[in-house]
Amino acid sequence: MLHFVPDFAYFEPNALEYPIGQDIYKKMIKLGVPISYTTSHNRITGIPGKSPNEIYKNAKKTLVVGVRKTLEFDTSKPSADYALPLSTGCMGHCHYCYLQTTLGARPYIRVYVNIDEILASAKKYMDEGSPHITTFEAACTSDPLSTEYITGNLGRTITFVGNEPLGRLRFVSKYDDVRSLLVLPHRKHTHVRFSLNSEYVVRQFEPSTAKLEARMTAAKLILQAGYQTGFIIAPIIRYEGWQEGYQQLFVALSHYIEKDAPVTFELIQHRFTNVAKKYILERYPKTKLDLDESTRKYKRGKYGRGKWIYQPPEANELDQHLRQLIDTHFKNATIEYFT
Ligand code: SF4
């Protein structure tokens, strides 16, 4: 099982006044993690490293335990109505990860101790949205599974949403320790998705994430536990031999998931922004990620922030190939979208 084991832990003011904060403190002591105190995560200094890149890597091994002050949730369309903030940052080093842009120079992993207040806020959103169902995405700013053994907050949220007729939860993960989730009263209100990719993409671009087989085993357990289960195949990348690479992925997946399982698939082609390209090349200078704008199409986004996606014929080829693989291996699957 791959977990986030920090090299350093910082506690923000008041974090230890919450039972979860005290519990995390005891766990850090047990793990032998050095503990410091900070007035705010914005003021953390002293993360070791001789270069910005080394500091970046060490920051990704740093846990910050704090009280979530902003209890207003961002919208999270089209995946869900709102982003539910359980944690921020991730131990993974996926070269293409959008958190590189959104978290910039502060990639440490922040977890929040005031989960009751966060869930009370979620309840308010559900009441406002009544009689319609309100959906929450818990993986907008982190991969919440890698820190679950530290906080237990994902499990608390699953149980909470399970008790809410008008609440639904979604999250996606590249990690595998689902043991604590298997016994929860989720009442099918939580949709768990695992992010999968071809062996080549995982090996080249996803350091510090769980192995493919481990993610597939976790997906099998989650499905057996009755959760709504799915897969995000992302980013779908064209490389020498991509067709066979994705074919092998689906053959492997069919050894874990029954052919008639009602699983979902979300298909996302690789894209990058100009800002992301700059960060990726700074942090992973030897990356083999294809970031050549001249082979891509520019798709304009909100506020002038566009991204480079594949040219339509190439994107179509990806879409068709993946759909065909899904049709071959999973007869009751739903393909939610290709983008
Ligand atoms: S596991 Fe997910 S959140 Fe973490 S670095 Fe990789 S893509 Fe980003």
Side-chain angles (χ1 to χ4, degrees):
M1 301 275 166
L2 190 58
H3 287 139
F4 172 55
V5 182
D7 283 355
F8 319 94
Y10 288 85
F11 283 78
E12 289 181 348
N14 307 332
L16 285 169
E17 286 170 19
Y18 290 78
I20 296 172
Q22 289 175 19
D23 189 46
I24 297 174
Y25 181 86
K26 285 183 203 142
K27 282 181 182 150
M28 291 302 109
I29 297 280
K30 212 167 155 194
L31 287 169
V33 177
I35 290 174
S36 303
Y37 300 90
T38 176
T39 50
S40 158
H41 75 99
N42 288 319
R43 300 217 175 81
I44 291 176
T45 52
I47 292 180
K50 293 193 195 91
S51 63
N53 262 6
E54 230 177 278
I55 295 172
Y56 173 80
K57 281 186 188 132
N58 284 328
K60 269 197 171 260
K61 292 183 197 157
T62 302
L63 177 73
V64 181
V65 184
V67 178
R68 174 83 188 183
K69 293 191 188 77
T70 315
L71 294 173
E72 268 169 36
F73 298 172
D74 288 334
T75 54
S76 179
K77 303 276 183 192
S79 143
D81 294 311
Y82 297 102
L84 199 146
L86 291 184
S87 47
T88 310
C90 176
M91 69 185 269
H93 274 279
C94 303
H95 295 188
Y96 52 75
C97 179
Y98 65 98
L99 292 181
Q100 304 210 44
T101 314
T102 52
L103 300 182
R106 298 201 180 94
Y108 34 69
I109 287 95
R110 297 183 71 201
V111 295
Y112 304 113
V113 294
N114 54 331
I115 186 69
D116 291 343
E117 291 162 28
I118 294 169
L119 295 181
S121 190
K123 174 77 176 143
K124 241 174 45 206
Y125 284 106
M126 286 180 223
D127 291 344
E128 278 169 23
S130 174
H132 303 291
I133 283 176
T134 302
T135 50
F136 300 94
E137 169 66 62
C140 285
T141 52
S142 67
D143 187 313
L145 198 53
S146 68
T147 48
E148 181 59 4
Y149 84 104
I150 296 176
T151 67
N153 279 346
L154 185 58
R156 289 183 188 96
T157 307
I158 290 171
T159 302
F160 167 80
V161 172
N163 279 323
E164 293 293 337
L166 296 180
R168 296 292 182 275
L169 180 70
R170 297 158 71 87
F171 71 91
V172 57
S173 184
K174 284 188 173 72
Y175 294 94
D176 61 331
D177 189 359
V178 294
R179 288 172 299 181
S180 62
L181 310 187
L182 300 179
V183 291
L184 298 176
H186 58 79
R187 299 203 176 87
K188 294 198 183 294
H189 287 189
T190 295
H191 187 179
V192 187
R193 297 108 88 219
F194 290 87
S195 170
L196 300 181
N197 221 309
S198 72
E199 196 64 58
Y200 169 84
V201 173
V202 172
R203 210 177 44 245
Q204 290 291 341
F205 307 122
E206 298 184 354
S208 306
T209 59
K211 289 188 183 344
L212 261 184
E213 299 73 32
R215 296 183 213 173
M216 292 183 198
T217 305
K220 179 179 175 172
L221 293 172
I222 282 288
L223 183 64
Q224 284 169 349
Y227 282 91
Q228 202 187 345
T229 306
F231 302 95
I232 300 189
I233 314 293
I236 308 169
I237 293 181
R238 296 175 70 94
Y239 58 92
E240 179 81 41
W242 64 270
Q243 291 96 330
E244 294 76 32
Y246 286 102
Q247 187 176 357
Q248 282 160 12
L249 168 69
F250 279 87
V251 170
L253 187 58
S254 70
H255 295 142
Y256 292 84
I257 305 293
E258 304 268 332
K259 197 176 171 85
D260 59 355
V263 288
T264 60
F265 285 94
E266 293 156 74
L267 308 175
I268 305 175
Q269 62 170 302
H270 179 241
R271 73 267 323 275
F272 61 92
T273 62
N274 293 332
V275 182
K277 176 173 176 174
K278 182 179 148 290
Y279 278 121
I280 293 166
L281 294 179
E282 267 170 31
R283 290 175 183 154
Y284 308 104
K286 293 192 185 140
T287 187
K288 292 190 177 144
L289 205 54
D290 171 21
L291 301 168
D292 179 2
E293 298 88 346
S294 70
T295 62
R296 299 288 183 112
K297 174 187 148 109
Y298 191 68
K299 186 176 172 194
R300 289 193 184 284
K302 271 192 209 157
Y303 319 113
R305 281 198 296 254
K307 53 197 161 199
W308 297 98
I309 57 174
Y310 285 111
Q311 296 284 356
E314 297 185 327
N316 265 341
E317 224 183 346
L318 293 174
D319 186 8
Q320 292 313 314
H321 188 58
L322 273 283
R323 279 178 195 274
Q324 197 212 321
L325 289 170
I326 293 167
D327 283 352
T328 306
H329 292 284
F330 301 104
K331 67 178 167 67
N332 288 329
T334 305
I335 300 172
E336 294 191 346
Y337 56 83
F338 171 91
T339 179

